[in-house]
C-alpha cells in the first residue's frame, strides 16, 4: 500500500490505522528516534499482516511512504525555522 504523510510526520514520527483485509485494524507506528526519519519512497515491511498464504499464514504488508512537501511556508513557519539556525 502507499501512505501519504507530511514532512512533519516524516521527521517527528507518525502512527495510523490500516484496516487489514479481514477487517482487523492494524496500528502502524514509526519512531524516528529508533528507525530514523522517513524519506520519500521509503518502504516499511510489517510481517504477517499481508496477503493470506497457504497453511493459515500471512505474508508481509509493505507500506511505501509518499512525503508531501508544502507548496510554501507561512510567516510563522519561516520565523520558527530562522530561530533554529
Amino acid at each position: 500500500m502507499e501512505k501519504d504523510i507530511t514532512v512533519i510526520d516524516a521527521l517527528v514520527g507518525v502512527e495510523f490505522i490500516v484496516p487489514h483485509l479481514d477487517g482487523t485494524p492494524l496500528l502502524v507506528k514509526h519512531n524516528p528516534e529508533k528507525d530514523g526519519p522517513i524519506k520519500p519512497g521509503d518502504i516499511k515491511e510489517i510481517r504477517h499482516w499481508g496477503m493470506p498464504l497457504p497453511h493459515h499464514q500471512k505474508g508481509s504488508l509493505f507500506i511505501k511512504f509518499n512525503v508531501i512537501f508544502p507548496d510554501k511556508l507561512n510567516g510563522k513557519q519561516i520565523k520558527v525555522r530562522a530561530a533554529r539556525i
Side-chain angles (χ1 to χ4, degrees):
M1 71 169 283
E2 290 193 31
K3 177 70 176 170
D4 292 344
I5 61 170
T6 66
V7 173
I8 299 296
D9 290 340
L11 295 174
V12 301
V14 65
E15 63 180 57
F16 54 93
I17 302 276
V18 173
H20 189 266
L21 295 172
D22 66 7
T24 305
L26 168 65
L27 177 62
V28 177
K29 293 182 180 185
H30 182 86
N31 180 349
E33 290 179 3
K34 178 182 169 198
D35 303 318
I38 298 172
K39 297 175 279 316
D42 274 0
I43 296 175
K44 183 178 188 86
E45 177 183 9
I46 303 173
R47 293 183 179 187
H48 311 297
W49 281 92
M51 296 293 289
L53 298 171
H55 309 295
H56 305 288
Q57 296 179 347
K58 294 178 186 170
S60 292
L61 169 65
F62 294 93
I63 302 172
K64 179 182 177 194
F65 289 99
N66 300 315
V67 180
I68 308 300
F69 289 83
D71 291 329
K72 62 181 181 176
L73 299 176
N74 64 38
K76 183 179 178 182
Q77 292 167 319
I78 292 170
K79 286 178 186 176
V80 168
R81 171 70 174 114
R84 292 182 183 169
I85 297 177

